[in-house]
């Protein structure tokens, strides 16, 4: 998606002049920061202005939101922006470099919200991006400015009297299921809005109380509290105290159970689900059977927000409300216990997700982990605060290997794995798992030095301590490194040894099956394609038995290549398209780009050299986010070389370069849609090649897919000579 903004859950009320002023600033300045007191509506205004800009298509590369309120680690800031932009980078390079490269020639509006706890790091990042990316504009929303050159500060005032009354009436009607309790009570409602200084969050909290109180009762109770705070006079409170006082007043009106749940919910980062609440927040003073009712009461009072998404119903606290709840939790002396329960729940969740990754629920696991990442990060951060819990952080970072590898989060995985391994731990099993996962991540990032160091340490320690499972994983990933660095005999030797180790201990999961696929690649590259096919067919059968899709896609990639070699281009295309669909769904760039390369070869051999050139260009755009093109491997590179040669023969050099360049301007999602032949998006992508398909410049006809299997088999070695690539 070119624009990525959340849908509005209720009607935006008022602020016409503020929106117009902010819109003018956005047109004139590259950096605008909306500031103001908590609850004044900074985020809502910024998102409405950004949505308007997106609707008007003022930025050809769209609008993106990066939400930082749940992030506490400055080291994850760049990763958060990478994620918000929908990028995936499997290389070892710093995310900052990826951001600069991606944004250098783009015209995009980046909305940055909730940066207060990361203000210095955020200011540094935005400053560097603004300097290196002339088409980038930034709209930030926070309680204080970033204070960088060129920043225009928009200080948002509370609502004026008319807008405040309109907002209160709107939210009051929502709280009373369509009734308009403010009607006939306009004087009291107007005074209430004035007492609340027109702060939207305060007004919404007050409106949430109209299920139990009349407008006059609300005003009377609130006025009594304000009189108490101002010593009996009618002097106004500072606005930042007005909101805090309103939240405190709302807290006082809660029942004991509501106050308790509010405080305990503050341990969550981001959104959370009912299951987590029922485990973490219960106790003798708050039985599990009462939690749902109490949570519903907090929702009715606008203290908890309900959100419906792909992962089901989830909930969240507004930042200001969470801060207040956290203070009360600390006052109770129960914060440490609640944070431990939170950590333990997410340890269990990660363990369950790892097991369910090898099941028909693999897609559900990917969606679940995506939504729970803020809480998983918080669990790792908490475990690192005490030396005796370091092993739990290591266990959690290692257990999430399927998230880092299978869901395209290698860079963040590398961050956490490095961090947890830098901490001392006496629990060897957790450390060994984190080591082999770090080695795996480093292999996929093309960082051979880091991979060797981690895997060698893991193997030596595992053998010393008799940990057969950890040793097998270390050997497996060493074999994977040999595979992508063209040492096929060594790769086959190591992978067979790892598979024997897995069989010895009865290990069977996606990793084990991936080891079989990698072994099939190694023997296939050594000329034993029939053996490779047999292995991958067995892998597909096991995957089907367990509902596994991710590893199955890689097995189908090998089978697709074998079908092409065997003279069945239609079968190859079908297998490769299935592979591409799954890899793209899991954000797996390695599987995606390898399959695009192979589909390009199938395209040229079935009479569509233009498509082949465009797909090669699209793959060329993706490879920098993976690492060296085709891993720098002569074996993996052979298909690309053969495709380019055949495409140039049919189009001529000039036309080939033209279509390849056109393909290199296609975004990854569009390239995938094109390769899958999925309707309008693919048709739109094809318009990038405006000319009629060129005829072969030597007068021959395009290849029709027929021919002997041996003639279609790729060379087993491709070497670089002074004159270029030779087979």
């Amino acid at each position: 998606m070119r624009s990525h903004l959340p849908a509005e859950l209720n009607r935006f009320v008022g602020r016409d002049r503020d929106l117009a002023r902010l819109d003018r600033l956005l047109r004139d300045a590259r950096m605008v920061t909306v500031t103001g007191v908590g609850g004044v509506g900074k985020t809502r205004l910024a998102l409405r202005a950004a949505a308007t800009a997106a609707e008007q298509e003022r930025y050809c590369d769209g609008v993106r939101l990066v939400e930082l309120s749940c992030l506490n680690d400055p080291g994850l800031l760049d990763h958060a922006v990478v994620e918000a932009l929908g990028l995936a980078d499997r290389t070892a390079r710093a995310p900052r470099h990826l951001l600069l490269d991606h944004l250098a020639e783009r015209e995009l509006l980046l909305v940055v919200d909730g940066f207060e706890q990361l203000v210095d790091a955020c200011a540094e990042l935005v400053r560097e991006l603004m300097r290196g990316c002339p088409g980038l504009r930034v709209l930030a929303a926070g309680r204080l400015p970033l204070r960088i050159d060129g920043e225009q500060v928009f200080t948002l005032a509370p609502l004026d009297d008319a807008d405040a009354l309109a907002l209160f009436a709107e939210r009051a009607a929502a709280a009373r299921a369509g009734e308009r309790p403010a009607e006939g009570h306009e004087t009291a409602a107007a005074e209430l809005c004035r007492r609340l200084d027109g702060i939207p969050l305060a007004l919404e909290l007050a409106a949430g109380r109209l299920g139990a109180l009349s407008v006059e009762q609300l005003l009377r109770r609130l006025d009594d509290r304000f009189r108490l705070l101002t010593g009996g006079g009618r002097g106004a409170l500072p606005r930042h105290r007005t909101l805090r006082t309103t939240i405190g007043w709302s807290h006082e009106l809660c029942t004991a159970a509501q106050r308790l749940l509010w405080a305990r919910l503050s341990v969550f980062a981001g959104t959370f689900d009912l299951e987590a609440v029922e485990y973490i927040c219960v106790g003798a003073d708050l039985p599990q059977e009462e939690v749902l009712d109490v949570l519903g009461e907090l929702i009715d009072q606008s203290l908890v927000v309900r959100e419906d998404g792909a992962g089901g119903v989830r909930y969240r606290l507004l930042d200001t409300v969470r801060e207040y709840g956290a203070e009360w939790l600390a006052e109770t002396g129960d914060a440490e216990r609640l944070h431990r329960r939170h950590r333990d729940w997410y340890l269990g969740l990660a363990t369950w997700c790892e097991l369910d990754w090898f099941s028909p629920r693999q897609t559900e696991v990917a969606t679940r982990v995506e939504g729970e990442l803020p809480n998983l990060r918080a669990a790792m951060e908490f475990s690192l605060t005490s030396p005796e819990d370091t092993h739990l952080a290591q266990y959690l970072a290692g257990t999430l290997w399927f998230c880092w590898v299978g869901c395209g989060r290698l860079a963040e995985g590398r961050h956490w794995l490095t961090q947890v391994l830098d901490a001392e731990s006496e629990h060897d099993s957790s450390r060994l798992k984190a080591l082999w996962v770090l080695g795996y991540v480093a292999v996929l990032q093309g960082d051979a030095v880091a991979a060797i160091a981690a895997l060698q340490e893991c193997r030596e320690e595992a053998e010393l301590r008799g940990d057969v499972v950890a040793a097998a994983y270390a050997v497996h990933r060493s074999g994977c490194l040999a595979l992508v660095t063209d040492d096929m005999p060594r790769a086959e030797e190591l992978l067979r040894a790892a598979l024997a180790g897995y069989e010895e201990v009865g290990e069977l999961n996606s990793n084990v099956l991936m080891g079989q696929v990698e072994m099939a690649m190694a023997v296939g590259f050594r000329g034993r394609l029939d053996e490779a096919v047999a292995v991958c067919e067995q892998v597909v059968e096991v995957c089907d038995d367990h509902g596994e899709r991710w590893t199955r896609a890689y097995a189908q990639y090998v089978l697709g290549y074998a079908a092409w070699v065997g003279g069945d281009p239609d079968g190859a295309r079908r297998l490769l398209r299935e592979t591409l669909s799954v890899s793209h769904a899991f954000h797996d760039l390695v599987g995606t780009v390898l399959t695009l390369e192979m589909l390009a070869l199938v395209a040229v051999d079935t009479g569509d050299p233009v498509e082949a050139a465009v797909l090669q260009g699209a793959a060329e755009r993706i490879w920098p986010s993976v690492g060296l093109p085709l891993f720098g491997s002569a074996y993996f590179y052979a298909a690309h070389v053969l495709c380019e040669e055949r495409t140039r023969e049919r189009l001529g050099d000039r036309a080939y370069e033209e279509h390849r360049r056109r393909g290199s301007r296609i975004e990854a999602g569009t390239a995938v849609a094109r390769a899958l032949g999925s309707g309008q998006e693919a048709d739109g992508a094809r318009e990038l090649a405006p000319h009629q398909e060129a005829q072969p410049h030597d007068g021959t006809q395009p290849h029709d897919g027929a021919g002997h299997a041996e003639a279609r088999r790729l060379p087993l070695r491709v070497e670089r000579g002074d004159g270029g690539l030779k087979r």
Side-chain angles (χ1 to χ4, degrees), residues 91 105 144 191 227 266 294 298 304 433 533 554 602 637 669:
T91 68
E105 297 180 358
L144 67 167
E191 177 63 14
R227 285 173 180 271
S266 68
V294 178
L298 293 177
V304 174
K433 185 169 188 176
V533 168
Y554 279 91
V602 172
Y637 204 70

Side-chain angles (χ1 to χ4, degrees), residues 1-7 47 50 54 61-67 83-86 109 111 370:
M1 296 183 299
R2 286 174 51 190
S3 295
H4 184 258
L5 299 173
L47 290 177
D61 291 296
V63 179
R64 289 281 178 159
L65 167 67
V66 53
E67 170 55 60
E83 180 181 350
L85 291 173
L109 176 64
V111 184
E370 180 81 16

Side-chain angles (χ1 to χ4, degrees), residues 349-399:
L349 177 68
T351 302
W352 171 82
C353 285
E354 182 186 32
L355 292 172
D356 257 22
W357 181 257
F358 187 53
S359 79
R361 293 176 292 279
Q362 199 171 53
T363 303
E364 177 188 338
V365 168
T367 302
R368 180 73 181 272
V369 169
E370 180 81 16
E372 297 290 9
L373 266 178
N375 285 301
L376 291 165
R377 292 167 183 149
M380 283 188 279
E381 287 174 346
F382 178 75
S383 296
L384 287 171
T385 58
S386 105
E388 61 268 22
D389 287 344
T390 298
H391 68 287
L392 297 176
Q394 293 172 345
Y395 171 82
L396 189 49
T399 298

